[in-house]
Amino acid sequence: MLNGIHHVAIICADYPRSKAFYSQILGLKVIAEHYRQARDSYKLDLSLPDGSQIELFSFNGAPPRPSYPEAQGLRHLAFKVDDIDVVVTHFQQNNISVEPVRIDEYTGKQYTFFSDPDGLPLELYQVS
């Protein structure tokens, strides 16, 4: 029935800042960008190498998401990486705070957390 995740939608507070973060720092490919005049809102479609997508929206006056303390609902978005140390170094060179790398007690894989410009919790998970 389900074949995978097509996209994840994210609402940001500062569109240019988040666009730069997701496209330049994280390296996601811009598929399409639309300004929706009736909503005074942007919609940016971004893709990852596996074909999954992130839709980045801007909505004036959208309230911040409560991430801490953790609230019910979507907990975080995890990105799979081949070499977590390379990505962590890249983030640190771009002034992105990253938690210490840990080992998943069930899989033995390395992972860590960081946040997007609006404090959305994101994870790196080494798959190899």
Side-chain angles (χ1 to χ4, degrees), residues 15-83:
Y15 179 73
R17 178 183 69 176
S18 291
K19 177 183 176 183
F21 176 81
Y22 283 96
S23 65
Q24 295 171 16
I25 304 295
L26 298 189
L28 278 63
K29 179 183 172 190
V30 174
I31 300 169
E33 181 176 33
H34 303 280
Y35 176 71
R36 302 172 313 164
Q37 188 170 8
R39 296 181 180 190
D40 188 23
S41 169
Y42 281 94
K43 177 182 183 283
L44 181 68
D45 296 319
L46 302 152
S47 71
L48 286 95
D50 69 357
S52 59
Q53 299 178 17
I54 290 181
E55 292 179 340
L56 184 65
F57 291 93
S58 67
F59 292 113
N60 290 325
R65 176 192 186 278
S67 293
Y68 302 100
E70 291 190 83
Q72 293 179 2
L74 185 62
R75 187 174 187 192
H76 61 265
L77 172 59
F79 296 102
K80 55 186 172 182
V81 298
D82 292 324
D83 188 333

